[in-house]
Amino acid sequence: MAQEVECLFCKIVAGIIPVDIVYRSDEVVAFRDITPKAPTHILVVPTHHAENATELAKIAPNSLIAMFLAAGEIASVEGLAGYRSVFNTGTSAGQTVFHAHLHILGGRSFSWPPG
Ligand code: AMP
Ligand code: ZN
């Protein structure tokens, strides 16, 4: 699985930076967000490095399947009846870590359209 030396989430996948892991497989690591935006806020991160979800789809499409299956399992374990799943892509959309990741947010109500 391709990794980048200076990437924060590659370091987390490699176990160099400790996080509160809730799910792990060969393809995915999921952990609690350090600054949660909801009572439950979990990041589902592919073990393969790609800058965003579209790039991941090009180079490791099975990772996206694994991420959404993990999201469903995590939601079940966390007792979430529903959840918001978000990919921020690009700085203007709020992306700050350029290793694809799926936000899973739950435990509160959500507005639509999102802010
Ligand atoms: P985004 O802004 O969509 O790129 O999401 C990046 C997320 O990573 C933010 O919600 C941050 O709070 C979260 N984050 C950054 N560093 C850590 C860390 N060391 N452990 C857990 N979550 C982190
Ligand atoms: Zn990375």
Side-chain angles (χ1 to χ4, degrees), residues 28-110:
V28 166
V29 177
F31 52 89
R32 296 191 192 282
D33 197 292
I34 201 166
T35 54
K37 313 302 186 296
T40 300
H41 185 175
I42 290 165
L43 300 174
V44 182
V45 174
T47 54
H48 199 109
H49 178 90
E51 185 169 319
N52 57 47
T54 299
E55 291 306 311
L56 188 65
K58 292 176 187 170
I59 62 177
N62 285 340
S63 293
L64 286 165
I65 297 171
M67 290 167 77
F68 280 101
L69 291 174
E73 285 194 36
I74 292 163
S76 176
V77 169
E78 296 285 322
L80 301 177
Y83 56 91
R84 181 67 57 88
S85 46
V86 176
F87 281 104
N88 294 324
T89 301
T91 306
S92 63
Q95 186 175 8
T96 59
V97 178
F98 291 85
H99 177 135
H101 51 282
L102 180 62
H103 294 260
I104 301 298
L105 301 133
R108 65 167 168 83
S109 59
F110 294 91

